[in-house]
Amino acid sequence: MIRVAIADDQQLIRDGFGLILRTQPDIHVAAEAADGRQFLDAVRRDPRIDVALVDIRMPVLDGLQATRELAAIPHAPAVIVVTTFDDDAYVLDAIASGARGFLLKRCSAADLVAAVRTVAAGEAILSAEVTGAVLDRVRATGPATRVDLAVHQLTPRETDVLALIGAGLNNTEIAERLYLSMSTVKTHVTNVLAKTGSRDRVGAAILAIQAGLTP
């Protein structure tokens, strides 16, 4: 059972998300909060929460600061930032703050549920609607020496895997594209993250783009 916390200052949003998630047999809404401080208090009370849906703009403590403060809490949940603001700067701030996912509030119910399951499984997710903006921002920074050094450590096959991560493919799609088993792909992904110092797939995808490995 995936235990979820919902943090949003709008009751309607909390009710809507809760209604969607409660229809899923593998998801339990364990806590709700109207601001970032209430959210952190809820996480401290319930260390079993797996995933948190957190709005960016909330009173008392905003979602980005609340996400940063989670680092001091043992067994903190993985955060999916959910907001109406699709400015790419918010996306990059969310990633830098430690978020594992980013969705817009206008996402479909199916996308919301899929994001919760993906992040609960240890992967990261970016809404397709904001990915383009993030990639444009990253490409504008140009390649860096750190990026070149990180990619240089990879084997040719690991480089292939990194490129496909940058293209947005999941493990199943990478396995099909490279004719590899799932276990082999998972090993390559683990090695890519470790060698490049990427915290998650989102970080690896950004690295792939900076290194010019994607179209």
Side-chain angles (χ1 to χ4, degrees):
M1 184 67 70
I2 303 170
R3 295 174 62 83
V4 178
I6 303 172
D8 196 293
D9 60 330
Q10 298 182 52
Q11 182 72 49
L12 184 61
I13 296 296
R14 298 198 304 273
D15 290 346
F17 285 169
L19 183 63
I20 292 169
L21 296 177
R22 288 186 179 98
T23 65
Q24 306 303 310
D26 59 333
I27 296 176
H28 171 67
V29 178
E32 296 185 18
D35 61 58
R37 186 57 60 196
Q38 289 181 9
F39 162 63
L40 292 175
D41 290 342
V43 170
R44 291 187 180 96
R45 288 193 302 269
D46 187 354
R48 297 181 299 161
I49 294 175
D50 303 297
V51 177
L53 300 171
V54 180
D55 187 24
I56 285 182
R57 293 191 178 182
M58 293 186 292
V60 184
L61 189 70
D62 68 43
L64 296 181
Q65 183 59 36
T67 300
R68 285 191 284 268
E69 291 192 19
L70 280 179
I73 301 177
H75 311 294
V79 171
I80 300 174
V81 171
V82 188
T83 183
T84 57
F85 305 99
D86 52 1
D87 188 318
D88 55 327
Y90 282 112
V91 183
L92 297 178
D93 284 347
I95 294 170
S97 298
R100 300 280 296 176
F102 189 101
L103 290 174
L104 298 183
K105 287 183 178 178
R106 62 175 179 263
C107 72
S108 68
D111 286 342
L112 177 65
V113 172
V116 168
R117 289 179 176 146
T118 297
V119 171
E123 297 190 23
I125 186 169
L126 278 180
S127 166
E129 294 181 274
V130 298
T131 298
V134 175
L135 302 191
D136 288 343
R137 174 69 70 90
V138 171
R139 287 191 178 102
T141 65
T145 301
R146 184 192 68 82
V147 172
D148 296 335
L149 291 175
V151 174
H152 183 70
Q153 302 178 65
L154 303 179
T155 67
R157 181 56 83 192
E158 289 167 352
T159 302
D160 293 339
V161 170
L162 176 60
L164 295 179
I165 291 174
L169 275 64
N170 59 34
N171 284 358
T172 300
E173 293 167 333
I174 293 174
E176 294 173 352
R177 181 73 64 87
L178 298 180
Y179 302 102
L180 300 173
S181 68
M182 280 295 292
S183 62
T184 299
V185 170
K186 289 179 180 178
T187 297
H188 284 319
V189 170
T190 298
N191 290 342
V192 166
L193 297 182
K195 289 182 178 181
T196 62
S198 301
R199 184 177 59 203
D200 51 38
R201 294 177 77 96
V202 173
I206 291 174
L207 187 74
I209 295 160
Q210 289 177 318
L213 297 179
T214 58

